[in-house]
Amino acid sequence: MNGNAVRVALLGCGTVGTEIVRLLREQAGDLAARAGAPVELVGVAVRRPHKHPELGDLLTTDATALVTRDDVDVVVEVIGGIEPARSLLLEALKAGKSVVTANKALLAEEGAALAEAADASGVDLFYEASVAGAIPLLRPLRESLAGDRITRVAGIVNGTTNFILSAMTESGAGYADALEEATRLGYAEADPSADVDGYDAASKAAILATLAFHTRVTAADVHCEGIRHVTASDIAAARGIGCVIKLLAICERSPATADSPEAVSARVYPAMIPAAHPLATVDGAFNAVFVEAEAAGQLMFYGQGAGGAPTASAVLGDLVAVARNRVHGGRGARESAYASLPVLPLGAVPTRYHVSLEVADRAGVLATIAGEFSTHGVSIAAVRQTGGAADDGGAARLVVVTHAAPEAALAATVQVLAGLDVVLAVDSVLRVEDLGRKGVAP
Ligand code: NDP
Ligand code: HSE
């Protein structure tokens, strides 16, 4: 063993970990030259060693002992989930090891405790791979844009759900088949409900909002809806108004007004976006994120958002940065939460909506429904009726697209509509987002 090497313990060797080991071995020479010292793998903790015969003596099932071993400088965690990852990383940081992790669930819940532990020991805590796979996004937010004022970070940050929605939109694939394929390709979380119910994207939104707004935002602060309820008819309805459906993560800064202080918000939900919007063409497991900053204007980050090799690329980038700091002394940039802005609830965040209703097709129904929107202060942008019998008493499909309205006002409108005898069913309520682009939504 080289006495000057930066010695790495790897926790987990699944989809991502396997690729980390491969890259560490295949690119050992280049990594050493870039880091200023060999980057040497000295131990790998897994649950089932018999599944990893190629790792030989490096293997252990005792992750706790591994993270505090004297011959370990850096701990790379790709186990996932809260425990035991949380305890292991806190132990590692306390023992003076730098940490690289891809674990967004943990960072979105325990980011403050981990950052505190890293500060206390004066070591690095890097997690580029935790958001948007291979895409360099966190370092630009934390370092390149540190001199600017970010107003919005929005985009597609979950590869699995984007893969599923793309397949449903393009080939008419069924939801279950598309999810199975995304899992087979290594995109999905160990429990894929984290992807399809939006929790994975919500964790990523919390990390993005924390870095962008210098304000601690946790997963619990992020309004979160997944894609389970998106149907083929929603996708067809979106197509009917020139849109596609994407699972979006949106983090925004709201300026102070006479009545309220400056605040931030973070939300995740499936939304219709205009087919002409650049995000609409982001397909498969790719991710894309728009960052808007006062001086820089709009920036777009695009690339592979999931999968073993793309994620390992981001982990290795962090590992080289940590190794350089170990070799040359010093620490990398830390996150800061000094601004401590309040986090708005979803009810206060204005959005546009596409409401699809099955209604009685008779005189006065449209006026009644329009009246309810008006009563609740929700302004209608467009109405379209399809189907319906010519004779009184038939049913028709009514689609109402609104101007931006607070969630709470729309929810109250829909609640009243659902109770009207002329409304036979509220088929779907979907948001419509044009993310700041003018003139493209219906
Ligand atoms: P996998 O489920 O493929 O691998 C998890 C690994 O952790 C396995 O090797 C498993 O061991 C090991 N492990 C589980 N529990 C323990 C434990 N208690 N002690 C020691 N080892 C344990 O996950 P992924 O590689 O897909 O994901 C890892 C992390 O990377 C997660 O945080 C995920 O969110 C994140 N990530 C994943 C991406 C992806 O595309 N897959 C993209 C970006 C981030 P064994 O092999 O013995 O079962
Ligand atoms: N399950 C995650 C996704 C992995 O599908 O985006 C990448 O973080």
Side-chain angles (χ1 to χ4, degrees):
M1 189 167 81
N2 186 326
N4 298 320
V6 175
R7 298 154 304 179
V8 179
L10 179 66
L11 308 183
C13 196
T15 303
V16 179
T18 303
E19 290 299 314
I20 293 171
V21 173
R22 180 179 68 78
L23 291 176
L24 274 174
R25 287 177 168 169
E26 287 179 10
Q27 301 186 15
D30 285 327
L31 294 174
R34 293 169 197 168
V39 181
E40 189 181 340
L41 188 62
V42 296
V44 181
V46 295
R47 269 176 316 190
R48 298 165 293 178
H50 63 275
K51 287 186 65 194
H52 310 274
E54 73 288 355
L55 292 173
D57 290 346
L58 289 174
L59 284 174
T60 177
T61 53
D62 190 349
T64 308
L66 179 61
V67 299
T68 50
R69 249 167 54 180
D70 287 343
D71 67 339
V72 168
D73 302 306
V74 185
V75 171
V76 173
E77 185 267 316
V78 281
I79 292 177
I82 306 300
E83 288 294 354
R86 174 186 160 280
S87 302
L88 291 169
L89 294 192
L90 287 173
E91 276 297 312
L93 291 165
K94 199 169 140 203
K97 322 293 183 191
S98 290
V99 162
V100 174
T101 176
N103 190 335
K104 51 271 165 135
L106 179 62
L107 288 157
E109 212 170 294
E110 296 287 345
L114 292 169
E116 224 169 84
D119 284 345
S121 293
V123 295
D124 285 323
L125 168 65
F126 288 163
Y127 44 90
E128 183 65 62
S130 66
V131 181
I135 306 172
L137 176 59
L138 303 192
R139 192 164 280 115
L141 287 178
R142 186 156 58 175
E143 298 183 35
S144 320
L145 290 163
D148 208 333
R149 187 178 157 82
I150 296 172
T151 49
R152 180 193 282 159
V153 182
I156 296 165
V157 295
N158 183 268
T160 302
T161 48
N162 202 53
F163 182 91
I164 295 170
L165 291 173
S166 299
M168 288 171 73
T169 304
E170 281 154 27
S171 64
Y175 169 88
D177 288 345
L179 173 57
E180 197 179 310
E181 180 66 354
T183 304
R184 192 185 64 76
L185 291 168
Y187 305 146
E189 294 302 300
D191 175 1
S193 60
D195 295 295
V196 296
D197 291 328
Y199 302 123
D200 177 81
S203 294
K204 292 165 176 168
I207 294 168
L208 291 171
T210 298
L211 290 174
F213 306 133
H214 302 275
T215 289
R216 178 66 56 196
V217 178
T218 67
D221 295 320
V222 183
H223 174 87
C224 171
E225 293 171 34
I227 64 160
R228 271 184 211 273
H229 64 277
V230 175
T231 62
S233 83
D234 290 332
I235 288 170
R239 191 177 287 126
I241 60 165
C243 288
V244 296
I245 297 179
K246 295 288 185 188
L247 184 74
L248 299 179
I250 304 171
C251 311
E252 283 174 329
R253 182 194 292 274
S254 309
T257 65
D259 305 321
S260 55
E262 184 181 33
V264 299
S265 62
R267 55 198 197 268
V268 166
Y269 45 57
M272 295 183 178
I273 57 171
H277 193 284
L279 286 179
T281 56
V282 175
D283 286 331
F286 278 75
N287 286 184
V289 178
F290 281 92
V291 177
E292 289 171 33
E294 281 181 1
Q298 200 170 57
L299 307 163
M300 183 175 176
F301 296 80
Y302 170 80
Q304 296 193 70
T311 308
S313 163
V315 170
L316 267 279
D318 278 352
L319 190 49
V320 169
V322 167
R324 280 187 190 132
N325 291 340
R326 288 261 158 185
V327 172
H328 300 296
R331 292 177 71 194
R334 279 152 273 167
E335 65 182 37
S336 66
Y338 73 90
S340 283
L341 297 171
V343 183
L344 291 176
L346 184 72
V349 178
T351 313
R352 304 180 63 199
Y353 296 87
H354 175 283
V355 182
S356 180
L357 306 167
E358 201 184 323
V359 299
D361 187 20
R362 59 173 187 261
V365 170
L366 184 55
T368 304
I369 289 169
E372 290 304 336
F373 278 92
S374 164
T375 301
H376 291 89
V378 180
S379 171
I380 292 175
V383 179
R384 193 166 62 136
Q385 181 176 327
T386 52
D391 52 326
D392 276 356
R397 163 72 53 86
L398 195 66
V399 169
V400 178
V401 181
T402 75
H403 288 297
E407 167 87 19
L410 193 280
T413 310
V414 170
Q415 196 180 6
V416 173
L417 290 177
L420 296 178
D421 59 355
V422 295
V423 174
L424 308 178
V426 179
D427 288 335
S428 73
V429 178
L430 280 162
R431 279 98 177 173
V432 181
E433 295 279 356
D434 49 25
L435 299 173
R437 298 197 158 224
K438 302 282 177 240
V440 279

